[in-house]
Amino acid sequence: MLELTLLLPVLGAVCVALTKTPAFAARWCFVFVIAALLSSIGASLQFEMSSVAPPRLLGAFSVDDISAPMLPVQVLLHLLTILGTAKSRLTPLFCVRVLLSASITLAVMTCHSPAMIIVLLLAAVPLPAWDLAIRDRRLRGYFLYMTLFAALLTAGWLVASQGASTWAVGLLLIGLLVRGGIFPWHGWQVTLFQKATIGLTTLCVLPLVEVLASIRLVLPTAPSWLLHAGSVACLFTAVYCGGLGIVQQEVRRFYAHLCLSQTALVMFAVLAATPSSLTAALCLWISAMLSLAGLGFAIRALEARFGELSLSKHHGYYEQVPGLAICFFVTGLATVGFPGTIGFIPMELLISGSIDQGLGITFALVVAAMFNGLAIMRAYFSLFTGKRPTTSVSLQVTPRERVAIVIVATLVFVGGWFSPSIVESRHRVIDKLLEERHEPEASVRTDSDLRTTLSARPR
């Protein structure tokens, strides 16, 4: 099943590239993404039901405990991107970029070869540049950051081949922080959200491939002081971007800073390298992807109807598109871990598990969550409350958008109900992961806070 999962997006990109009619291209793209979703679910179930470790495809690709639940989630992210894109923008080239993004992302998720992971990460760099070039936008800033990212990853791999592990891990970690938009390298993501199509930008940012690369390349051998330095940078980014999200006057800039803040929290949880934080990271990885993707879907649907959106005044769009207002509100609450949603248990675990790291860390996490919540509520009131505009054109949600809204709402609430079992399964994975750490202080600590969190179901 893994071979089929990795091959379907590639075959779909080839077929769509040979199609000149946008309607046929969109249809084939949708078919191949649905097939990849079913295949990824099959690969995950096959791994869960098998008692023997699966053989590695080409010596580098196989499903493991980390990638098994992430494969369907990654494909679902691409499906939501297609469902949320207006038919007029589903061009053959757009569909090709979506399918290529899916193929690279799935390959990264299942890759166990450090050299191949680096190659795949670099292979994803041209996709946003392709979109910027088609829209006649400047590429200099994006290429500047991506050149730094590529140079750091390449240098880290070359240094690792010479045996200098600490220097190699440091270079790799800095490169991944650049890729993740961690301060002071966050500017390229904000610019990308403004200049590129928001759909392809989310496919570049939300898969969080740097999290998987950090787990595979950095976490096993990195010294504690290096991980601590990286985690502090990520936590500062979460607070800083959360605060910036409150004062933005453009919806895209608000969404960009919200994504930066939430993804920085996931990276912080990984680099904190404690059982509770790593468990929270793997769960936040899923919840942040789905909730931010749903929020981005609502923003894209609003832009398709009303053009570029401003937060400097109240638009009153609720009466015209109540479905999108509900989608925006629900996914926004899930992003900050509102009780009953998919993000509640992971955020609770992250904050409660940070007590051992000091009161300052816990306080910063609470402040970041508070800033993000304030930014979301401000954006909601600006977009959906106020004077009711009138129009002679029907702006009701389309059937495709209605399907996407149902999918997002179901995942947000059903995922919240099953969060305790997901957290428990992720904790077992973290036990195995920390056993592979070379440092004795990375052994598993007391997990009373984890058991306390798991005992509380969202109501």
Side-chain angles (χ1 to χ4, degrees):
M1 294 298 290
L2 177 60
E3 297 89 337
L4 188 61
T5 302
L6 297 179
L7 189 60
L8 278 172
V10 179
L11 291 177
V14 174
C15 293
V16 171
L18 299 176
T19 304
K20 296 182 179 180
T21 306
F24 287 138
R27 193 173 304 162
W28 279 111
C29 180
F30 181 78
V31 169
F32 275 102
V33 171
I34 289 292
L37 177 61
L38 296 176
S39 178
S40 63
I41 294 174
S44 299
L45 292 177
Q46 185 180 33
F47 171 80
E48 294 294 340
M49 293 186 295
S50 176
S51 58
V52 181
R56 292 189 178 181
L57 178 64
L58 302 177
F61 301 96
S62 67
V63 182
D64 63 355
D65 292 311
I66 296 176
S67 61
M70 294 306 303
L71 291 179
V73 176
Q74 297 288 0
V75 182
L76 188 60
L77 174 64
H78 290 76
L79 177 61
L80 290 175
T81 300
I82 297 173
L83 292 175
T85 304
K87 290 183 178 180
S88 60
R89 297 185 179 181
L90 281 175
T91 62
L93 289 180
F94 179 88
C95 295
V96 168
R97 293 195 293 274
V98 170
L99 290 167
L100 288 178
S101 172
S103 64
I104 294 174
T105 302
L106 293 175
V108 172
M109 290 296 109
T110 56
C111 185
H112 295 266
S113 169
M116 185 61 68
I117 291 176
I118 293 174
V119 170
L120 290 170
L121 290 176
L122 297 181
V125 170
L127 293 180
W130 186 3
D131 185 67
L132 289 172
I134 290 177
R135 293 167 61 87
D136 293 328
R137 301 300 176 92
R138 297 178 63 180
L139 303 174
R140 184 174 61 183
Y142 175 77
F143 273 127
L144 179 63
Y145 282 99
M146 291 300 102
T147 300
L148 176 61
F149 163 65
L152 288 169
L153 285 192
T154 305
W157 177 246
L158 293 177
V159 172
S161 64
Q162 303 298 322
S165 60
T166 302
W167 280 98
V169 171
L171 291 171
L172 291 173
L173 177 58
I174 296 174
L176 294 175
L177 294 181
V178 173
R179 175 62 175 79
I182 303 302
F183 183 88
W185 304 288
H186 62 291
W188 73 270
Q189 286 198 13
V190 178
T191 304
L192 191 65
F193 270 102
Q194 285 186 287
K195 295 184 176 181
T197 56
I198 193 170
L200 289 174
T201 304
T202 56
L203 294 183
C204 173
V205 174
L206 293 188
L208 289 173
V209 290
E210 60 271 11
V211 171
L212 191 281
S214 299
I215 294 174
R216 302 269 198 236
L217 304 178
V218 175
L219 194 61
T221 58
S224 296
W225 64 267
L226 185 61
L227 293 177
H228 178 70
S231 67
V232 170
C234 294
L235 185 57
F236 177 81
T237 304
V239 177
Y240 174 67
C241 291
L244 287 179
I246 300 176
V247 299
Q248 297 304 313
Q249 300 300 316
E250 300 176 10
V251 169
R252 287 205 179 196
R253 290 183 64 87
F254 146 76
Y255 183 61
H257 286 96
L258 181 66
C259 289
L260 280 168
S261 181
Q262 289 298 119
T263 55
L265 285 178
V266 182
M267 281 294 290
F268 161 78
V270 171
L271 298 180
T274 65
S276 295
S277 68
L278 282 168
T279 305
L282 295 185
C283 298
L284 275 175
W285 192 2
I286 298 175
S287 64
M289 279 181 56
L290 294 177
S291 57
L292 289 173
L295 190 64
F297 162 80
I299 292 173
R300 294 169 65 202
L302 288 172
E303 285 189 347
R305 289 165 170 80
F306 306 106
E308 295 186 4
L309 302 171
S310 171
L311 297 178
S312 59
K313 61 180 181 179
H314 292 79
H315 299 278
Y317 292 146
Y318 183 90
E319 293 295 332
Q320 295 174 302
V321 283
L324 294 180
I326 294 173
C327 180
F328 187 100
F329 187 71
V330 168
T331 54
L333 293 180
T335 300
V336 296
F338 190 79
T341 64
I342 191 173
F344 172 57
I345 296 293
M347 283 297 296
E348 171 68 18
L349 178 60
L350 178 62
I351 294 175
S352 62
S354 66
I355 296 177
D356 295 336
Q357 304 176 50
L359 182 60
I361 298 294
T362 305
F363 179 75
L365 289 172
V366 173
V367 169
M370 179 186 67
F371 282 170
N372 289 332
L374 291 174
I376 289 169
M377 295 308 299
R378 174 179 176 265
Y380 175 83
F381 285 120
S382 296
L383 292 173
F384 299 106
T385 64
K387 183 180 179 181
R388 302 175 183 178
T390 58
T391 177
S392 58
V393 181
S394 175
L395 299 175
Q396 295 181 357
V397 294
T398 64
R400 292 168 61 245
E401 291 174 339
R402 193 173 293 111
V403 170
I405 291 173
V406 171
I407 292 175
V408 170
T410 302
L411 291 173
V412 165
F413 290 111
V414 174
W417 180 257
F418 288 101
S419 287
S421 58
I422 296 174
V423 171
E424 188 174 4
S425 67
R426 297 296 87 195
H427 183 58
R428 291 195 295 267
V429 174
I430 293 306
D431 286 345
K432 300 177 184 178
L433 184 65
L434 289 179
E435 289 175 359
E436 299 174 0
R437 289 266 294 152
H438 294 300
E439 293 185 318
E441 64 265 28
S443 58
V444 178
R445 304 173 188 173
T446 303
D447 295 295
S448 58
D449 54 341
L450 176 65
R451 297 191 184 94
T452 302
T453 304
L454 289 176
S455 63
R457 280 185 177 269
R459 298 180 181 178

